[in-house]
Amino acid sequence: RLVVSGSYDQTIRIWDVAMGKEAMGPLTGHSGGVLSVAWSPCGNFVASGSSDDTIKIWHAETGSEKCSLTGHSDWVRSVAWSPDGKLVASGSDDKSIRIWDVATGKEAMGPLTGHSDWVRSVAWSPDGKLVASGSNDKSIRIWDVATGKEAMGPLTGHSDWVTCVAWSPYGKTVASGSNDKSIRIWDVA
């Protein structure tokens, strides 16, 4: 019933879909544009990634900031919650992926490195064991969250930036979208 949005005006807003009106906001605290937002699986929290190089976790009911996650050295382009809602993955222009423990506000793993250009998109597998990343280096990589190692990749075939990645509901395939105007489906097995 709610939608969350982030903006280059450095704010986050929560919208009531039925009413077509703003339900909460603006949530302020970032000092740069908000490039990515994501609801936690339970709906109690919102994660935001910004050009101020930080991730913030917000209480969805009050709009107050729970914590600020710092460690990236460049814009945070993508944030995604683990299926159990305990971790947040982030992808950054610093070419890394980091995994954050929301309860402690500390980095749980990372940086995961291998991409040679900006990381545009991150997505968790449905079982929470893997994270897929898409990059301006035209590749997709699959990361093992238990070890922090690359489980698969680079998956190559796109001729331009990979701007988004998404898992199938059963975790057998990953879809990627690119500035080359194509979508590709990758068999994870």
Side-chain angles (χ1 to χ4, degrees):
R1 63 183 183 84
L2 299 171
V3 171
V4 63
S5 63
S7 170
Y8 272 97
D9 70 6
Q10 305 176 5
T11 69
I12 296 133
R13 295 173 191 264
I14 297 176
W15 306 87
D16 183 310
V17 176
M19 301 295 290
K21 293 183 179 179
E22 189 174 326
M24 183 183 301
L27 311 185
T28 59
H30 281 296
S31 60
V34 179
L35 308 176
S36 180
V37 290
W39 285 104
S40 65
C42 64
N44 293 340
F45 298 101
V46 169
S48 58
S50 170
S51 63
D52 67 9
D53 309 345
T54 70
I55 300 103
K56 291 188 183 290
I57 308 296
W58 308 86
H59 292 279
E61 287 190 20
T62 64
S64 62
E65 184 181 317
K66 179 186 186 307
C67 59
S68 184
L69 311 175
T70 59
H72 282 296
S73 60
D74 210 336
W75 291 15
V76 178
R77 296 261 176 196
S78 182
V79 292
W81 288 86
S82 62
D84 65 7
K86 294 179 179 177
L87 302 171
V88 169
S90 58
S92 169
D93 286 4
D94 68 11
K95 307 174 191 172
S96 77
I97 297 101
R98 293 174 189 257
I99 310 293
W100 307 88
D101 183 319
V102 176
T104 65
K106 304 286 184 198
E107 192 171 327
M109 180 176 293
L112 309 180
T113 59
H115 284 295
S116 61
D117 208 335
W118 300 351
V119 178
R120 287 274 187 158
S121 182
V122 291
W124 287 86
S125 63
D127 65 7
K129 294 180 179 178
L130 302 170
V131 169
S133 58
S135 169
N136 277 16
D137 69 10
K138 308 173 191 171
S139 78
I140 298 97
R141 293 172 189 257
I142 310 292
W143 306 88
D144 184 322
V145 177
T147 66
K149 306 275 186 208
E150 194 171 318
M152 182 179 301
L155 308 178
T156 58
H158 284 295
S159 61
D160 207 341
W161 301 350
V162 177
T163 56
C164 56
V165 291
W167 288 85
S168 64
Y170 298 107
K172 297 187 185 292
T173 57
V174 170
S176 58
S178 169
N179 275 17
D180 68 11
K181 304 178 186 170
S182 76
I183 298 149
R184 293 176 184 257
I185 310 295
W186 306 89
D187 184 330
V188 176

